[in-house]
Amino acid sequence: MTITTALPAVRPYEGYVYAYPHKTAYRPLADRPALCDLWAAERKDALSLYLHIPFCEVRCGFCNLFTRIGAPQELTTRYLDALDRQATAVREALGDGGPVRFAAAAFGGGTPTFLTAGELERLCDIAEKRMGADLRSAPLSVETSPATATADRLAVLADRGATRISIGVQSFVDAEARAAVRPQRRAEVEAALGRIRDAGAPVLNVDLIYGIDGQTERSWLASLDAALAWRPEELYLYPLYVRPLTGLHRLGPAAGPEAAAREEARWDEQRLRLYAAGRDHLLERGYEQVSMRMFRRADAPQEGPGDYACQTDGMIGLGCGARSYTAGLHYSFDYAVDMREIRSIIDGFTATEDFSRAEVGRYVDAEEARRRHLLQSLLQAAGLETAAYRTRFGTDPCEDFAAELGRFAERGWLDAGAPDGVLRLSARGLAHSDAVGPALFSSGVRAAMAAYERK
């Protein structure tokens, strides 16, 4: 399998689409709808639960996540107090008129293991005692970092039912970690991986990044081999992005438009080349490709979301950086990247007493629901089952999105050899997932994202 490295008409790295619509398309909700009304008619028997912890010990140069460095003056205690109040209000809003069950749970951030072992116990209590989630029967994924993956924290997570521990390593080459403004040493990373394996979670995931300044194919494969030595059940390979208001963006040299375009073309070529090398390396070593980013060891236990389907089922997000999904509204709290703005939003969250209403979000109509279903399915290697789409919407995706799919076919992004009834990306299409996703955005979402004022 080979991928051309010539610069295509559309840039291969438009943006990582991990949710649609993106938070930059959200706006304050003038009607501030009550959560009990939003969830009254929703199915609640296969929900996903996400708890967001917006703290890290450091902020990496590439990071634009909603997180702050450190937590002075017992801020974590105040944050967990607010999370407890929010969980109480949300569970009350879900009601008891029908079954409420969580098919999957995750703690993310930030770095959830920034919390102490005792605070992690409390976080689990909030999920179980306030929300009613059974963390020992539903898959539970938790993110960690080399510095915070300590034995006492991991012991708590293992005891409370964590089935997947995901660690952000990014690179096993110390010079590359420094280039990404990520202060860590390989020895620290290896020690953390040892502790995670000792804790016994069924699934270890390792995140790595390609496209770092100075990275070569040789050093990239060396990082992959260092990760493979731990036989992780999953690996995520992320292309590096330099986003506005991040550390790498502030460090970037000013350049004229022509020089910037040449540099972008060179970088696109490097990332495509490294992606292909990493993909082939993992496929040759018994891993299966799940998406552009995700690779799973063929013999790994299936610790996925069970009967939860991201295209159709709802999500409950707790914490000031989390989002929640109903069929008609996606909602969260305010979004920022700048550290001062993030601190202000966190302070506002910890002072909030009434969590009974949705404050910021975007309504999702039938056309947007179709787009979201197609986008989230197509970005998976398995693709979209057209029969499931027709059952849900009563229409055909090839007719609803004839223009977009026609352009994808012209670019060689669709798999002409896919089985009947399956619409999926080709190997080239998967490599260009970060162009496929944005190409499916509606004009309304594009306009809202373009009008978003960065903060």
Side-chain angles (χ1 to χ4, degrees), residues 6 9 70 78 104 199 250 304 318 375 426 452:
R78 299 199 305 275
R250 289 192 294 270
L318 301 178
L375 188 155
S426 63
Y452 174 77

Side-chain angles (χ1 to χ4, degrees), residues 34 108 192 216 276 295 386 398 404 452:
T216 65
F295 295 80
T386 55
C398 296
E404 293 93 334
Y452 174 77

Side-chain angles (χ1 to χ4, degrees), residues 181-251:
V181 193
R182 182 180 177 83
Q184 69 182 26
R185 294 179 295 108
R186 178 169 176 172
E188 179 184 52
V189 171
E190 300 279 2
L193 287 166
R195 291 191 294 270
I196 293 170
R197 277 308 195 197
D198 289 344
V203 173
L204 163 65
N205 174 72
V206 176
D207 290 345
L208 298 173
I209 285 180
Y210 56 92
I212 299 170
D213 189 33
Q215 192 175 49
T216 65
E217 184 171 325
R218 182 177 180 180
S219 68
W220 169 231
L221 295 181
S223 268
L224 279 173
D225 285 337
L228 289 171
W230 292 95
R231 287 187 51 77
E233 284 71 23
E234 294 176 3
L235 281 149
Y236 270 74
L237 311 185
Y238 288 95
L240 180 65
Y241 276 90
V242 177
R243 298 177 176 92
L245 303 180
T246 61
L248 284 178
H249 186 262
R250 289 192 294 270
L251 291 173

Side-chain angles (χ1 to χ4, degrees), residues 252-408:
E258 291 186 5
R262 287 193 300 271
E263 175 57 24
E264 291 285 4
R266 183 205 64 78
W267 196 27
D268 285 344
E269 181 178 340
Q270 179 206 24
R271 286 180 288 180
L272 277 173
R273 184 176 64 254
L274 294 177
Y275 161 80
R279 176 204 59 198
D280 293 347
H281 199 69
L282 294 182
L283 294 178
E284 291 165 0
R285 284 156 180 79
Y287 284 77
E288 298 171 344
Q289 186 165 18
V290 180
S291 68
M292 172 187 165
R293 287 166 170 77
M294 182 181 178
F295 295 80
R296 180 185 293 126
R297 214 177 70 207
D299 62 346
Q302 293 293 323
E303 291 290 336
D307 57 350
Y308 174 80
C310 64
Q311 296 94 331
T312 56
D313 290 318
M315 173 179 280
I316 297 292
L318 301 178
C320 58
R323 55 181 104 201
S324 299
Y325 306 142
T326 68
L329 177 68
H330 293 188
Y331 62 94
S332 66
F333 294 89
D334 203 2
Y335 171 71
V337 176
D338 180 79
M339 189 62 68
R340 288 170 298 181
E341 295 287 348
I342 289 174
R343 288 172 178 165
S344 176
I345 293 170
I346 293 173
D347 288 344
F349 176 83
T350 62
T352 298
E353 295 294 335
D354 181 6
F355 287 100
S356 64
R357 294 180 176 274
E359 302 289 344
V360 178
R362 185 174 183 86
Y363 285 98
V364 178
D365 60 20
E367 192 265 343
E368 292 288 20
R370 291 186 182 93
R371 286 187 179 275
R372 181 172 182 263
H373 190 109
L374 174 64
L375 188 155
Q376 291 189 307
S377 301
L378 204 56
L379 294 183
Q380 299 295 307
L384 169 73
E385 293 185 5
T386 55
Y389 182 99
R390 284 194 296 271
T391 297
R392 181 181 180 192
F393 299 110
T395 57
D396 190 286
C398 296
E399 295 176 1
D400 291 345
F401 300 98
E404 293 93 334
L405 293 174
R407 287 193 293 271
F408 295 169

Side-chain angles (χ1 to χ4, degrees), residues 378 405 408-429:
L378 204 56
L405 293 174
F408 295 169
E410 290 174 3
R411 292 177 181 138
W413 291 355
L414 296 182
D415 183 1
D420 290 342
V422 174
L423 187 65
R424 71 185 181 197
L425 297 177
S426 63
R428 178 177 174 81

Side-chain angles (χ1 to χ4, degrees), residues 5-18:
T5 56
L7 185 65
V10 175
R11 290 198 60 211
Y13 299 102
E14 294 287 331
Y16 174 26
V17 182
Y18 55 89

